[in-house]
Every structure is written in structure tokens, then in C-alpha cells.
Amino acid sequence: MSRSETTRDRLLHHARTLLWTHGYSNVSLRQIAAAAGVDVALIARYFGSKRGLFEATLDGAFDLPPVTSETALVDMVVALFTTSPCGETAPTVLQLLLMNAHDEQVGGAVRAAHHTGMQSRLDRLLGDPRRAALFMAAVLGMSVAEKSLRLPGIGPHDTHDYAAQLRHMLGAALSFAR
Amino acid sequence: MSRSETTRDRLLHHARTLLWTHGYSNVSLRQIAAAAGVDVALIARYFGSKRGLFEATLDGAFDLPPVTSETALVDMVVALFTTSPCGETAPTVLQLLLMNAHDEQVGGAVRAAHHTGMQSRLDRLLGDPRRAALFMAAVLGMSVAEKSLRLPGIGPHDTHDYAAQLRHMLGAALSFAR
DNA sequence: CGGTCATGTCAACGGTTGTTGACAACATTC
DNA sequence: GAATGTTGTCAACAACCGTTGACATGACCG
């Protein structure tokens, strides 16, 4: 790996961590560069602009392992929203997804990444965009209520329990979706 | 109403509109003042700081009409998340709620307002924090999936349909919540 | 060794931010 | 009408922002 690639990866890693957890406009390029231990100007060199860096951050963010079973895919989605993908202080996919709420440009990129990386596969495997959307809504609701809103009535669930409940909820949602 | 109260209310109104829809750090005090047609310095006079203005914005944001029936309260919550409270370009409560995701200080204020204004009443009327949290998760999931993530599989539902589905979902959620 | 390209450093640019204090215009009360 | 307190205006502050270009340093190849 060339020298430039390692610093590029370092920038990408810390950009993901900081931007996803604290939001696009709450983190400056100087903070990211400082966390990565490199100069600010290198961001412009490697990613062009702040938006370019953020969009590079979206690469493969919603990718799922290549499973073919319906329940396996569902479990993968639940797992992706339940656990931090890499490490303890790592940002969650949920926080990335919620970045779309208040910024039209950032939101468009996030929605596009989610659709091509995750939702389209759900559509295909669950057979119906409506079923997939309702399942996504169930996962989102649980995640937002627990992780973002921190409702005392929910969690901390262990992953198994959580997935089981969501699968149950999925069954209910799909039953009235027909 | 004194002169100062009207300009205070104008500031509050436009602050709500702009801050809730575009996020805390995406809107400057100068934009808010310009929208309200007053000088920037008046914000400091009436609200002390940007945070003070935002927190004044939270006043009564999650308040619900004083109903006592369980289903009536549930309908009120659904209605609050489904419709814009005042006018077409008005910001939604959902956007306010999602502001808690990426800013710890702002998020704390939002969560507190939501808890005292809405969740505590749900806890009381539904009898169980767990039931209330699961209901909230269902409403949140539907709202985020439709309004924020804009999943093509969901909506646009007319309000009646939407509420009916959520009430059905509530039944399912509550059934496996015991 | 000398030349060439990749990589990193530094300083600065114009613009915007939240906040402050001095001052003018106005209304109210004596 | 004069004095007083309220309400609004203006200019400025220091700090930070994303972005740019010039320059130093390193690696690599002929």
C-alpha cells in the first residue's frame, strides 16, 4: 500500500467516526485532520472538498453480506443496526442514516447510499417494496427509540432478544401489509 | 401585547421554522433575524444566546391535548407526528426529535422536552413504560421511514389510513410486550 | 548524481459565525 | 416639556470556517 493510501485511509476512518457521530456541520475539516494526524490541506488534495470526503465515507456503508435467505438478510440488517460495525467508539449506521433529516444535499447522498446498498436488496429478497419498507420502519423505530431517543422503556437488549422481537414485529407488520 | 412581545414571538416563530427544519448548526442567527425582519442583536437581548433561543423553541413542543382515553391519546400522538401543526411550511415534530442524534447538548434538551411533554403522559396512560416505548418506536419508525428516509414503499398515506395502521401495529406491539 | 513526480507543510485568503457594547428612536410617566 | 426606561440600530470584535496556492521534503527512476 502506497504512502498516500494509508493517510487517505486514516482520513477516511476519522472522517467517518467524527462526521457520523457529531453530524456534518458540527465537525470541521481541521478536527478531522487533527484526529488523523495530518494537515488540513491534504483533505482537499485527496477528496476535493468536505462534501467529497463525506461522500467517500458513504462507500459501502450500507453493504450487507451476500446472503440469499430471507431471514438471514433480515438478521443482517438487524445486526448492522444493533451493533457497532468496527470497535467500541465506532459510529453506528443509524447515526449516518439520521444525517439525512436536516440537510438536503447530505440527505440526498445518504438516502441514495442506503437505497442502493440496503433497501434495494430488501426489496428484491422480500419481494415487495411495501413489505421491505415496513420492515425497515420497524428496525428504524426500535433503533431510534433505543439508541437516539434513549427511551428508558427499551433496552439495553442483548442482540438476540432484540432480533427476535424485530422478527416477531416483522411478522406482525407483514401480516397487515397485505 | 407589548411591542417587545410581538417581536419576541416573531423571532420564536421563525427560529422554530428554520432551526427545526434545517438543524441547529445549519441556521445562523442572522438568517433567523432576517426572516423575522428584526436585528440580530435583539436575539441576544431577548433570549441571551443561540441556545437560549432554541430552548425557548422547545416550550410546549410535545404538548398533547388533555385527553384521558388511551386510544384518544394514541391518536393525538399519531396526529402530531403525521400532520404539520401549523401551516404548510411548518416544521414537523419529527424533525425536532431527530435533532437529538448528533449534538449532545441540543439532544439533551430535546429529549427532556419530549419526555416531560409526551412520553411521561404515555407512560402514565398506557400504564407501562415498556408499552409506551414500544408504541413510540412504532410511530417513530413509520415517521422516519416515510418522512425522513422517504422510502417509496410507504406513503403518502392519508392520515386516517396511517393512524389505523399504527393503531393496528400498536396492538401487535403490545401483544408481544407482555 | 540529477531530474521528476508524489507527498506533505505552511500561511494566507475571503467569508461567516455568535456575541458584545455604544448609541439612537420611541414610549411612558412625572 | 423633561426625565426615565424600553425597544431597536449599527458597527465591531475575536474566532472559526472551507479552500487555495506556493513552497519544502521525500521517494523513485534514468
Side-chain angles (χ1 to χ4, degrees):
Chain A
M1 173 157 22
S2 71
R3 206 152 53 97
S4 69
E5 276 176 292
T6 70
T7 68
R8 217 191 98 106
D9 285 355
R10 286 171 59 85
L11 276 171
L12 214 44
H13 169 73
H14 289 93
R16 222 184 318 259
T17 301
L18 290 172
L19 289 177
W20 289 15
T21 61
H22 299 111
Y24 186 83
S25 47
N26 287 328
V27 178
S28 69
L29 294 185
R30 284 174 170 86
Q31 294 178 47
I32 299 175
V38 306
D39 195 277
V40 208
L42 290 185
I43 294 180
R45 183 194 297 282
Y46 288 126
F47 302 97
S49 64
K50 187 179 187 181
R51 179 134 301 142
L53 172 60
F54 172 66
E55 286 174 6
T57 272
L58 296 176
D59 222 42
F62 294 98
D63 282 2
L64 297 166
V67 295
T68 57
S69 147
E70 176 170 317
T71 61
L73 186 69
V74 162
D75 282 345
M76 287 301 155
V77 173
V78 171
L80 187 59
F81 273 84
T82 304
T83 71
S84 288
C86 44
E88 188 56 35
T89 68
T92 66
V93 185
L94 175 67
Q95 291 178 288
L96 169 61
L97 208 49
L98 293 184
M99 289 181 70
N100 94 5
H102 301 103
D103 188 305
E104 202 48 46
Q105 300 211 45
V106 168
V110 171
R111 283 192 298 273
H114 165 261
H115 180 261
T116 65
M118 170 177 291
Q119 198 64 26
S120 67
R121 278 194 64 187
L122 280 171
D123 289 356
R124 223 174 305 130
L125 218 58
L126 294 180
D128 178 13
R130 182 161 171 76
R131 282 166 52 108
L134 286 172
F135 165 68
M136 200 65 221
V139 179
L140 273 176
M142 284 296 203
S143 302
V144 173
E146 181 205 344
K147 297 221 164 33
S148 180
L149 202 54
R150 306 180 199 174
L151 293 190
I154 293 191
H157 308 294
D158 50 320
T159 313
H160 184 266
D161 227 35
Y162 193 42
Q165 285 186 3
L166 281 176
R167 225 184 281 110
H168 191 138
M169 205 170 193
L170 173 69
L174 297 187
S175 74
F176 80 87
R178 344 223 94 268
Chain B
M1 170 156 28
S2 70
R3 205 153 52 98
S4 69
E5 278 176 292
T6 71
T7 68
R8 216 192 98 105
D9 286 355
R10 287 172 58 85
L11 275 171
L12 214 45
H13 169 74
H14 289 92
R16 222 183 317 260
T17 301
L18 290 172
L19 288 178
W20 289 14
T21 62
H22 298 111
Y24 186 81
S25 47
N26 288 328
V27 178
S28 71
L29 294 184
R30 285 173 170 85
Q31 294 178 45
I32 298 175
V38 307
D39 194 277
V40 207
L42 291 184
I43 295 181
R45 183 195 297 282
Y46 289 126
F47 302 96
S49 64
K50 187 180 187 180
R51 192 155 310 263
L53 172 60
F54 171 66
E55 286 174 5
T57 273
L58 295 176
D59 222 41
F62 294 98
D63 282 1
L64 296 166
V67 296
T68 56
S69 147
E70 175 170 318
T71 61
L73 186 68
V74 161
D75 282 346
M76 287 302 157
V77 173
V78 171
L80 187 58
F81 273 84
T82 306
T83 70
S84 287
C86 46
E88 188 57 36
T89 66
T92 66
V93 185
L94 175 66
Q95 290 178 288
L96 169 61
L97 209 49
L98 294 184
M99 288 180 71
N100 94 7
H102 300 102
D103 188 304
E104 202 49 45
Q105 300 211 46
V106 167
V110 171
R111 282 192 298 272
H114 165 261
H115 180 261
T116 66
M118 170 178 292
Q119 198 65 25
S120 67
R121 279 193 64 188
L122 280 171
D123 289 357
R124 221 175 306 132
L125 217 59
L126 294 180
D128 178 14
R130 181 162 172 77
R131 283 167 51 107
L134 286 171
F135 166 67
M136 199 67 220
V139 179
L140 273 175
M142 284 296 204
S143 301
V144 172
E146 181 205 345
K147 297 222 167 27
S148 179
L149 203 54
R150 306 180 199 173
L151 292 189
I154 293 191
H157 308 294
D158 49 323
T159 313
H160 184 268
D161 227 34
Y162 193 42
Q165 286 186 2
L166 281 176
R167 224 184 284 112
H168 190 137
M169 205 168 194
L170 172 68
L174 297 188
S175 74
F176 80 86
R178 343 225 93 266

